[in-house]
Amino acid sequence: MNSLKTTVLLAALTGLLLAIGNLFGGTQGMTFMLLVSVLMNFFSYWYSDKIVLKMYGAREVTMDQAPDLVRMVDRLTQTAGMPMPRVYIINTDTPNAFATGRDPEHAAVAVTTSIMRALTYEELEGVLAHELAHIQNRDTLISTVVATIAGVITMIANIAQWAAIFGLGRGNDNEDNGIGGILEFVILVVVAPLAATLIQLGISRTREFQADATGAKFCGKPLALASALQKIEYYAKHRVMPEATPSTSHMFIVNPFSGAGSWMTSLFSTHPSTEQRVAKLQELARQMR
């Protein structure tokens, strides 16, 4: 069911991009937007993991440098029947973790130094199992594609907005100066990026629930993962992660901007609420027993 929902939302996001292209230039505009999307996804497919790891100053570690952490990841990957990913540590005071990479054979998991201090052994195991679930479910690739397409739509909206401010584009066309022109402008600048964002959030939230369930089965301790989520969210609310950016917030196990706290922030959050995730994990624990 989750996979079907993701497929539908991805199709809707791609359709929105093509519709914007059609609005700009008919069939040629649609073809151009499709080409732009393919090129950006190609770049993201090959280089997004390197970019994000460098952005956060992640340092790759080996068994000699972080034996407990690497051994834990190795054991979980054997349980899950998947290749061993590269393991990274990010030096920051805010507990969190994420996974990246285009496929299970070219993946990486990154944890912050503080998460290893804040969580118990079993809680950290639950977090790593969640991230490995993202890799096995290929969520890292899906999130990259979604973020790229949504980014293209937002970029187009910004271009249209500045073009309107400086009187560029098709403003001299009589038809565009009327109601049709105003409606086109509203769709481009307001409706399209808002719809893209909501679709992106829908996909992200769906994949988080699935990774929680899969990860809990990998480690066999859904309640440990639930406890870890509660701890990480507590720190996110009380301690700012200075390295975090909105464009990468969907990658983390808990949104690093959870501390904003307003209802509007919750509406546009990349993650489902921790309360919902904990409730589902508790239900899973009862089923496993």
Side-chain angles (χ1 to χ4, degrees), residues 36-37 39-41 44 143-153 200:
V36 168
S37 176
L39 289 175
M40 292 191 70
N41 280 318
S44 299
S143 65
T144 296
V145 172
V146 170
T148 300
I149 296 176
V152 171
I153 292 173
Q200 182 181 11

Side-chain angles (χ1 to χ4, degrees), residues 130-268:
H130 170 100
E131 298 305 333
L132 291 174
H134 273 311
I135 294 171
Q136 188 183 71
N137 296 337
R138 296 184 182 268
D139 294 337
T140 49
L141 175 59
I142 291 171
S143 65
T144 296
V145 172
V146 170
T148 300
I149 296 176
V152 171
I153 292 173
T154 302
M155 178 185 67
I156 294 168
N158 290 334
I159 292 173
Q161 183 178 7
W162 284 107
I165 291 173
F166 290 103
L168 302 175
R170 297 183 295 173
N172 294 327
D173 193 317
N174 290 332
E175 182 183 348
D176 288 341
N177 286 331
I179 299 298
I182 295 174
L183 182 60
E184 179 179 315
F185 177 79
V186 171
I187 292 173
L188 275 177
V189 176
V190 180
V191 178
L194 178 60
T197 299
L198 292 176
I199 293 171
Q200 182 181 11
L201 297 180
I203 293 174
S204 178
R205 292 171 181 175
T206 299
R207 308 310 292 185
E208 287 302 323
F209 279 131
Q210 188 168 344
D212 283 343
T214 305
K217 292 173 183 176
F218 284 168
C219 66
K221 305 179 182 74
L223 294 182
L225 175 56
S227 176
L229 293 175
Q230 291 171 319
K231 284 186 179 181
I232 297 170
E233 185 186 44
Y234 172 83
Y235 281 102
K237 286 182 175 179
H238 295 87
R239 188 179 296 174
V240 176
M241 186 175 184
E243 303 88 352
T245 64
S247 62
T248 58
S249 62
H250 65 283
M251 298 177 61
F252 289 90
I253 188 168
V254 171
N255 191 329
F257 298 105
S258 298
S262 68
W263 69 271
M264 184 64 74
T265 302
S266 300
L267 178 65
F268 289 96

Side-chain angles (χ1 to χ4, degrees), residues 14 17-40 152 155-156 159:
T14 304
L17 179 65
L18 296 179
I20 292 174
N22 183 61
L23 197 60
F24 261 119
T27 304
Q28 289 182 338
M30 291 177 65
T31 304
F32 176 74
M33 289 304 169
L34 183 60
L35 179 61
V36 168
S37 176
V38 169
L39 289 175
M40 292 191 70
V152 171
M155 178 185 67
I156 294 168
I159 292 173

Side-chain angles (χ1 to χ4, degrees), residues 111-125:
V111 299
T112 64
T113 50
S114 52
I115 200 173
M116 294 186 288
R117 296 193 299 265
L119 303 187
T120 66
Y121 185 90
E122 290 188 342
E123 289 168 345
L124 181 59
E125 190 177 36

